[in-house]
Coordinates of all heavy atoms in Angstrom, one line a residue:
P37 N 109.2 93.1 92.6 CA 110.2 92.5 93.5 C 110.6 93.4 94.7 O 110.7 94.6 94.6 CB 111.5 92.3 92.6 CG 110.9 92.3 91.2 CD 109.7 93.2 91.3
E82 N 108.5 59.7 103.3 CA 107.1 59.4 102.9 C 106.3 60.2 103.9 O 106.5 60.1 105.1 CB 106.9 57.9 102.9 CG 107.6 57.2 101.9 CD 107.2 55.7 101.7 OE1 106.2 55.3 102.4 OE2 107.8 55.0 100.9
V107 N 90.1 70.9 94.9 CA 91.2 71.9 95.1 C 92.0 72.2 93.8 O 92.4 73.3 93.5 CB 92.1 71.5 96.2 CG1 92.9 70.2 95.8 CG2 93.1 72.6 96.6
E133 N 78.0 91.7 113.7 CA 78.3 92.9 114.4 C 79.8 93.2 114.3 O 80.2 94.4 114.1 CB 77.8 92.9 115.8 CG 76.3 92.8 116.0 CD 75.7 91.4 115.7 OE1 76.5 90.4 115.7 OE2 74.5 91.3 115.4

Side-chain angles (χ1 to χ4, degrees):
E82 294 189 4
V107 68
E133 296 76 18

